[in-house]
Amino acid sequence: METLQARYATVRKHTLALAEPLSDEDCGAQSMPDASPIKWHLAHTTWFFETFILERMERGFAPFHPAFRILFNSYYNGIGEKHPRPQRGLLTRPSMAEVRAYRANVDGRIARLLAGELDAARRAELAMLITLGVQHEQQHQELMLTDVKHLLAQSLLRPAYMAIPLPAAAVAAPLAWQSFDGGLAEIGHRGDGFSFDNELPRHKQYVAPFALASRLVTNGEYLAFINAGGYFNAALWLAEGWDWVRTQNLKAPIYWFQDEQGAWQEFTLHGPQPLDLQRPVTHVSLFEADAYAHWAGARLPTEAEWEYAAAHGQAPIETGSLHPAGAGGAAGLRQMFGHCWQWTSSSYAPYPGFAAAEGALGEYNGKFMLNQYVLRGSSCATPEGHARASYRNFFPAGARWQFTGIRLARQV
Ligand SMILES: [Fe+2]
């Protein structure tokens, strides 16, 4: 329990540290319905502990504020009413100071619960719920970075979240194909350590022989696709993707722009940067990833292929700045973790035998298993210790405000 308390405290502190470079004005704004204000993230992650732990387990529970139960409920119908998601940016009250006080209050009460007397069954339940709450908060830490990036990108001032310049990346080794025999593979979380329910149960799946690209697609390679008219060639796009790209008149990834001389720049959390041709392309939708793969004579991997390769190949977890780094010249399977989430062609669906938890917490993952695609790996915004080979991230095909990139696959 001491370790759990330490883990809880570390993760909670890191969330506050992420808000540190931002003003109160930055923290209150919402740039689109998909993104939430930083202040809302700070409060909602606290709400999670208050609602799913304190309300259940604290003697004489009384809410910090009764309205917070609705204001900071994200999507749990089992809990009750919710403040509408597109209107999170209208919450000028509570203030940042009040939200910080809410965090401190809940932190104190969780610490007292962890230090108090509980029978073995309640203690095990508490440990499970704290672990889930900590993992949930880490997911929001990544969203805080991607949401604030989208927000800062709205201003022509193009402010840097982190005023540390990005060095030019080393030349990326030519893309190589790594072959895998496949066969009857075991897919899903292995059973030791934490996983989300959507990674279970581990099950057998047949994986035909395939090859995976040794690294992610670079900005330079993606620019060649743009220069070849990729965004204007209907033959490369899924029907829905073509409608998506033409309706919005898209010509490049979301944060790319051209300066007055016509040179490509990329907005990053480190501010605007000249487009680094050696770094991976990021912030592309599934539609763009699929069209690129088509153009390159390849395809996207299935999630089973990706997981099989991560388990059988060398896949170190690389961490660095708040922008995906280049692959450099090293051999082997690179950039599987720590740079860009990688789109797969797999629909986000339950594994055979999937069972959601009882009650409102069962809404965590299961109810989103429709009309979304699985992404594998982790990104430069994923907190340390949060990535694993069986992790299933998911977004709709048009989403591109996450650090999403392209890893190609093909038949052998
Ligand atoms: Fe959440």
Side-chain angles (χ1 to χ4, degrees):
M1 283 293 168
E2 264 174 49
T3 321
L4 203 54
Q5 170 58 40
R7 178 110 182 95
Y8 173 88
T10 305
V11 169
R12 296 281 288 166
K13 209 169 133 193
H14 183 60
T15 307
L16 285 177
L18 289 174
E20 212 45 55
L22 302 168
S23 68
D24 284 5
E25 289 91 335
D26 290 332
C27 291
Q30 179 174 28
S31 58
M32 62 170 170
D34 280 341
S36 298
I38 295 298
K39 186 170 70 180
W40 188 91
H41 285 293
L42 295 178
H44 162 72
T45 46
T46 306
W47 170 94
F48 194 93
F49 288 107
E50 185 183 37
T51 307
F52 291 118
I53 298 180
L54 296 181
E55 199 174 307
R56 284 184 193 194
M57 305 183 82
E58 187 182 46
R59 253 187 227 124
F61 170 83
F64 179 81
H65 192 299
F68 286 12
R69 200 170 195 273
I70 296 170
L71 284 182
F72 302 119
N73 178 6
S74 51
Y75 55 66
Y76 295 90
N77 295 319
I79 297 298
E81 265 186 86
K82 304 174 292 283
H83 177 78
R85 184 180 180 130
Q87 293 170 25
R88 289 174 184 167
L90 302 181
L91 299 174
T92 58
R93 314 292 174 92
S95 66
M96 272 295 277
E98 285 165 318
V99 167
R100 285 179 200 279
Y102 178 39
R103 288 184 69 88
N105 174 277
V106 167
D107 287 351
R109 290 157 69 191
I110 290 285
R112 280 194 291 281
L113 201 58
L114 276 167
E117 292 288 311
L118 284 172
D119 63 40
R122 293 290 271 174
R123 195 152 282 279
E125 187 190 358
L126 178 60
M128 183 278 283
L129 290 170
I130 298 258
T131 305
L132 181 64
V134 162
Q135 297 283 336
H136 168 255
E137 184 135 349
Q138 286 188 308
Q139 291 184 310
H140 279 275
Q141 288 173 351
E142 174 149 8
L143 292 172
M144 285 167 71
L145 289 167
T146 52
D147 290 0
V148 85
K149 181 171 182 177
H150 191 265
L151 175 69
L152 297 176
Q154 306 308 311
S155 169
L156 267 184
L157 296 174
R158 298 199 174 96
Y161 167 81
M162 187 189 247
I164 299 170
L166 284 174
V171 174
L175 191 146
W177 292 99
Q178 196 128 345
S179 295
F180 294 90
D181 294 338
L184 197 55
E186 293 228 337
I187 302 297
H189 182 64
R190 204 182 282 278
D192 43 345
F194 175 83
S195 79
F196 286 107
D197 57 1
N198 62 6
E199 299 164 56
L200 295 168
R202 191 167 165 88
H203 61 284
K204 289 193 171 64
Q205 200 168 322
Y206 182 74
V207 179
F210 69 101
L212 207 59
S214 55
R215 56 162 176 76
L216 301 177
V217 170
T218 63
N219 283 328
E221 289 162 341
Y222 199 79
L223 186 58
F225 163 74
I226 292 177
N227 290 340
Y231 277 82
F232 298 91
N233 182 354
L236 299 174
W237 295 78
L238 291 162
E240 200 177 311
W242 182 244
D243 289 345
W244 176 86
V245 85
R246 292 287 28 103
T247 307
Q248 299 179 80
N249 194 24
L250 301 176
K251 296 168 184 164
I254 186 169
Y255 296 126
W256 288 27
F257 62 97
Q258 282 169 295
D259 65 16
E260 280 155 19
Q261 284 75 44
W264 283 105
Q265 305 271 323
E266 182 176 19
F267 180 70
T268 77
L269 283 168
H270 303 252
Q273 307 281 328
L275 186 71
D276 188 330
L277 301 182
Q278 305 302 326
R279 288 179 187 265
V281 64
T282 189
H283 297 293
V284 288
S285 67
L286 172 72
F287 296 135
E288 290 164 301
D290 184 80
Y292 177 86
H294 197 161
W295 177 77
R299 60 173 173 81
L300 299 178
T302 66
E303 63 167 325
E305 287 171 339
W306 194 100
E307 187 170 330
Y308 181 92
H312 289 78
Q314 293 295 317
I317 296 182
E318 305 153 49
T319 52
S321 60
L322 290 176
H323 199 67
L333 215 47
R334 300 296 309 274
Q335 300 172 311
M336 292 289 274
F337 297 98
H339 299 277
C340 300
W341 289 100
Q342 294 141 59
W343 285 108
T344 73
S345 60
S346 301
S347 291
Y348 181 48
Y351 283 163
F354 167 77
E358 294 278 312
L361 272 176
E363 296 182 47
Y364 199 110
N365 282 308
K367 70 179 188 180
F368 300 110
M369 290 173 173
L370 183 73
N371 296 336
Q372 310 214 50
Y373 283 82
V374 174
L375 297 112
R376 290 304 194 107
S378 64
S379 86
C380 56
T382 309
E384 223 175 301
H386 192 71
R388 58 188 165 270
S390 60
Y391 201 106
R392 304 175 82 201
N393 199 353
F394 53 91
F395 279 97
R400 53 183 201 161
W401 90 109
Q402 297 303 304
F403 284 96
T404 46
I406 311 172
R407 183 176 303 272
L408 298 176
R410 69 178 191 191
Q411 304 308 113
V412 288

